[in-house]
Amino acid sequence: MVCIDCTLRDGGYYNAWDFSPELIHQYLDAMQAAGVDVVELGFRTLKNQGFQGPCAFTTDEFIRSLTIPAGLTVGVMVNGNELVGEVPQHEALERLFPKAAAESPVELVRIACHVHEFEKALPAVTWLKERGYQVGFNLMQVADRTEDEVKALARLAKAYPMDALYFADSMGSMSPDQAAQIIQWFRSEWKGPMGIHTHDNLGLALSNTLRALDEGVTWVDSTITGMGRGPGNARTEELAIEIAERRGKPANMVPLMMLLREHFKPMQAHYGWGTNPYYYLAGKYGIHPTYIQEMLSDSRYSEEDVLAVIEHLRVEGGKKFSLNTLDAARHFYRGEPKGQWSPKERFAGREVLLLGTGPGVARHRGALERYIRDHQPLVLALNTQSAIDAELIDLRVACHPVRLLADCDAHTRLPQPLITPYSMLPADVRDSLGEKQVLDFGLNVQADSFEFASTHCTAPTSLVVAYALAVATSGQASRVLMAGFDGYGADDPRNIEMDKLIARYLSASDGVPVVAVTPTRYRIDTSSVYGL
C-alpha cells in the first residue's frame, strides 16, 4: 500500500503554489509521523505564466533546500499536455528532468493526462524508467467512459513499464460502486499496481478511496484538509487513520493536527476549499469543479448566478473547464456590435424608471406603483425582476448569455418585449427564447468606454445595468430614475465596480441625468420616491 500526500501540488491551485519554507518543513515532519509514504511536492513544468511559488516548478535545487525526513519518497507531477505539445517529447523531458534519478532528489514522477493525450504521452514512461525514476500515470476524467474504452486504455498501458496506473474521479461524480466497476474493467487488462485520486464534490472522496482499497488498489492519494482544486480531495488526516488501521501499525497524528491548527485551517477559512451544495451539483452533473471555484472567488456572481451557470453547463456540457465559457458575457461582445432596433421610438424625451434586482423595489412597491400610475414613466426592468405589478412594466432588458439561457423559460412567460443584443447571441440562447418579442440592440464591451449609437452601444462591461443605461441614452431619454439598486456591504468589491461604472457613465459627454429613488450605497445622486 502506497499512501501519497499531494497537498503542495493539488493545494497550489488556491495559493499559486506559494507555500512558505516553515510550512513545508512542518508539513514534511507531519507526513513522516502520520505514516505517509510519498510526498508530491508540486508540479514540474516548462510554463512560466504569472507569479507562481516554488511548488509550481519543484526544481531539484528547491527540493535540495528542504530537509526531507528519512523514509519519505519525493515525487513531482507533470501535466501530460506538456509532453504532447509543440515541443518534442524527448526534448521536453530532457528540460524537465536534466538529471537521472540517481543524481536527483526526485524519486517518483507522475504524469497526469486526459484520455485523448494518453497514447501519445505513454512513451515518456520508458524514457523516465531508463533514467531510474519510478513512474505513475494519472488518467483523468474516466468516470464517464464505457467499459470498452476503459479496457482499451488499460491495453495501451500494458505495453509500458509504469509502476502504477491511476485513475482520477476528476468531476467528483463517482460512487463507490462506480469506482469498483472501473477498477474491474481496468483489471481485465492491466495486472500491475493501480491507484485512485478522488474528489469530494459529493462528500464521497474517502468512501471511494476505501472501496478502491477493498477492490485491490494499492496506491492512494489525499491532501491535508482535502486542500485541492475545487471541492478538494480525500483528507489525509482521515485517510492516514484508516491506512494505519489496515496496516496494523499506529500513526502519530499529533504533528499533523498541529499543522492543521496553525496553517491549514486558517488557509481554508481564507480560500474556502471543501465541498458545498454548488460543488455537489457540479459533481452530480459532471461539471468541471474549476467553474465553481472561479465563481465562488468572484464576488460578482450571486447565488442566483452560480446556480444559473450550473444549470446552463448541465444542459450544454461542462466537462472541460474553459474560462471563456464561464466568462462568456465579459468576452462575448468583443466584435463589431450588431443591432436592428432603435430605442428612440420608445425612449425619446421620456423619463425612464429602471428597476434593479435589489430588495428596495419590493420594500417601496406601493410608492413606486403610485408614481408610475400618476407620472407614466417608461418602466424598464432588469432581467426577470418582478417585484411590482407586471402590467406597470413596459420593457425588460438582459444581455448576459448564460443568465439569459437560465432565465429563458421565465422570459418566454413574461409579457413584456425584451431588449437584448439578439443578433449577437449564441444560437442556443436565441433558440431558447423561441417566439419571444425581442428588440435587437447591439452591444460591444470595451474597457473604460461608453458610446451610444442608434441601434447599438459600447459599454465598459456586460453588466446589464451598463447596457440598460446605454439603451436609455441611445434612446435620448430625459432622465433615468433608479430603484432597487441597494448595493452591498461597505467592503464588497461589487460596490467598487458599480461606483466605477456609474462614474464612467456620468463622465460620458452625452449621458443623461441619473437619480436613485430608493436607498442605495452607490455614489449616485439620490431623491426619495415618496417626494417625487
Side-chain angles (χ1 to χ4, degrees):
M1 212 179 316
V2 181
C3 190
I4 301 185
D5 182 276
C6 43
T7 305
L8 304 187
R9 190 265 303 170
D10 216 345
Y13 287 103
Y14 278 98
N15 68 346
W17 295 275
D18 192 15
F19 296 94
S20 70
E22 297 76 26
L23 179 150
I24 295 173
H25 279 111
Q26 197 175 337
Y27 159 82
L28 290 167
D29 291 336
M31 292 301 94
Q32 183 201 40
V36 167
D37 303 293
V38 180
V39 283
E40 191 166 65
L41 293 180
F43 280 107
R44 185 160 288 189
T45 180
L46 299 173
K47 295 176 181 174
N48 192 351
Q49 298 163 328
F51 176 78
Q52 294 173 328
C55 294
F57 307 97
T58 328
T59 60
D60 283 3
E61 181 185 31
F62 167 67
I63 299 169
R64 286 199 180 96
S65 74
L66 306 172
T67 305
I68 310 291
L72 271 186
T73 294
V74 171
V76 296
M77 179 171 273
V78 176
N79 273 319
N81 59 19
E82 294 199 48
L83 304 179
V84 298
E86 293 168 14
V87 179
Q89 188 173 110
H90 66 91
E91 187 185 322
L93 286 164
E94 281 164 4
R95 287 167 62 189
L96 289 163
F97 300 97
K99 292 183 165 60
E103 303 166 60
S104 168
V106 173
E107 296 170 69
L108 171 67
V109 178
R110 294 204 297 175
I111 299 165
C113 79
H114 292 97
V115 169
H116 67 272
E117 301 160 338
F118 190 49
E119 190 167 5
K120 285 185 182 170
L122 276 168
V125 174
T126 307
W127 191 95
L128 288 160
K129 289 297 289 182
E130 284 172 354
R131 283 153 184 79
Y133 291 97
Q134 292 178 59
V135 184
F137 233 102
N138 285 33
L139 265 169
M140 297 186 281
Q141 297 187 10
V142 295
D144 55 351
R145 298 288 165 172
T146 64
E147 179 176 358
D148 288 344
E149 287 174 309
V150 170
K151 288 179 175 177
L153 294 167
R155 274 194 296 278
L156 288 171
K158 208 159 51 169
Y160 292 88
M162 68 184 76
D163 294 275
L165 176 61
Y166 260 82
F167 68 98
D169 176 19
S170 306
M171 304 302 173
S173 56
M174 215 178 265
S175 69
D177 285 347
Q178 280 176 293
Q181 177 77 85
I182 288 169
I183 292 162
Q184 285 160 23
W185 291 346
F186 271 116
R187 272 279 166 251
S188 68
E189 299 287 343
W190 169 260
K191 304 305 180 191
M194 279 193 69
I196 190 169
H197 177 96
T198 60
H199 286 162
D200 207 32
N201 300 60
L202 301 174
L204 294 172
L206 182 65
S207 302
N208 288 337
T209 303
L210 297 177
R211 178 64 179 274
L213 285 168
D214 293 339
E215 298 290 331
V217 160
T218 52
W219 292 55
V220 289
D221 284 14
S222 61
T223 57
I224 296 169
T225 64
M227 185 184 190
R229 186 153 59 171
N233 313 102
R235 290 179 277 279
T236 300
E237 56 272 23
E238 295 166 1
L239 186 59
I241 293 166
E242 296 288 344
I243 296 285
E245 190 176 299
R246 286 171 185 250
R247 286 173 172 167
K249 189 174 159 192
N252 175 8
M253 300 294 289
V254 174
L256 176 51
M257 301 321 283
M258 288 171 63
L259 181 70
L260 276 175
R261 176 172 53 80
E262 292 173 19
H263 292 288
F264 283 88
K265 284 298 182 186
M267 265 200 293
Q268 188 174 21
H270 177 72
Y271 292 109
W273 64 83
T275 196
N276 59 40
Y278 303 120
Y279 284 123
Y280 186 91
L281 284 168
K284 189 174 173 62
Y285 299 135
I287 294 166
H288 202 293
T290 304
Y291 284 113
I292 312 301
Q293 184 176 324
E294 288 290 327
M295 287 188 286
L296 294 183
S297 65
D298 185 340
S299 62
R300 287 174 292 190
Y301 285 92
S302 67
E303 292 86 349
E304 191 179 359
D305 293 330
V306 179
L307 290 169
V309 171
I310 289 172
E311 178 60 19
H312 168 68
L313 293 171
R314 181 182 74 80
V315 175
E316 292 300 304
K319 293 193 185 307
K320 186 179 179 192
F321 174 67
S322 159
L323 260 176
N324 291 336
T325 307
L326 176 62
D327 230 15
R330 276 178 237 166
H331 299 295
F332 197 81
Y333 302 111
R334 284 286 188 263
E336 195 65 33
K338 290 179 288 192
Q340 297 177 19
W341 172 76
S342 169
K344 277 185 198 171
E345 60 188 65
R346 301 290 292 265
F347 285 76
R350 295 193 65 183
E351 179 179 76
V352 173
L353 176 59
L354 184 59
L355 300 178
T357 52
V361 175
R363 193 176 304 128
H364 303 288
R365 174 178 179 163
L368 288 166
E369 290 183 348
R370 275 195 300 278
Y371 184 78
I372 294 166
R373 290 190 174 101
D374 292 347
H375 297 276
Q376 304 292 305
L378 182 73
V379 181
L380 181 62
L382 300 189
N383 297 319
T384 55
Q385 159 64 271
S386 50
I388 69 167
D389 187 340
E391 290 179 5
L392 299 177
I393 298 173
D394 297 299
L395 301 165
R396 292 187 179 277
V397 59
C399 60
H400 188 306
V402 173
R403 184 63 176 271
L404 264 169
L405 194 62
D407 287 346
C408 67
D409 285 346
H411 278 304
T412 54
R413 288 194 304 271
L414 290 165
Q416 301 85 10
L418 176 65
I419 303 170
T420 192
Y422 184 77
S423 55
M424 301 177 70
L425 292 171
D428 57 348
V429 181
R430 291 201 303 268
D431 292 346
S432 71
L433 289 169
E435 300 300 309
K436 177 76 183 176
Q437 183 187 351
V438 292
L439 305 172
D440 182 9
F441 187 75
L443 168 63
N444 172 248
V445 174
Q446 206 169 298
D448 302 320
S449 261
F450 263 114
E451 292 172 22
F452 316 103
S454 62
T455 58
H456 63 262
C457 65
T458 298
T461 168
S462 59
L463 284 173
V464 66
V465 62
Y467 181 62
L469 287 170
V471 168
T473 311
S474 292
Q476 299 178 356
S478 59
R479 71 168 173 169
V480 176
L481 305 179
M482 299 175 73
F485 292 86
D486 302 51
Y488 303 91
D491 56 351
D492 193 305
R494 286 173 291 187
N495 275 345
I496 298 164
E497 184 179 19
M498 186 69 165
D499 283 336
K500 278 185 188 166
L501 173 68
I502 291 167
R504 248 183 236 125
Y505 174 77
L506 294 174
S507 67
S509 57
D510 35 9
V512 301
V514 177
V515 181
V517 296
T518 58
T520 183
R521 291 189 176 93
Y522 300 133
R523 292 177 185 166
I524 186 171
D525 288 345
T526 309
S527 292
S528 171
V529 65
Y530 294 95
L532 288 175

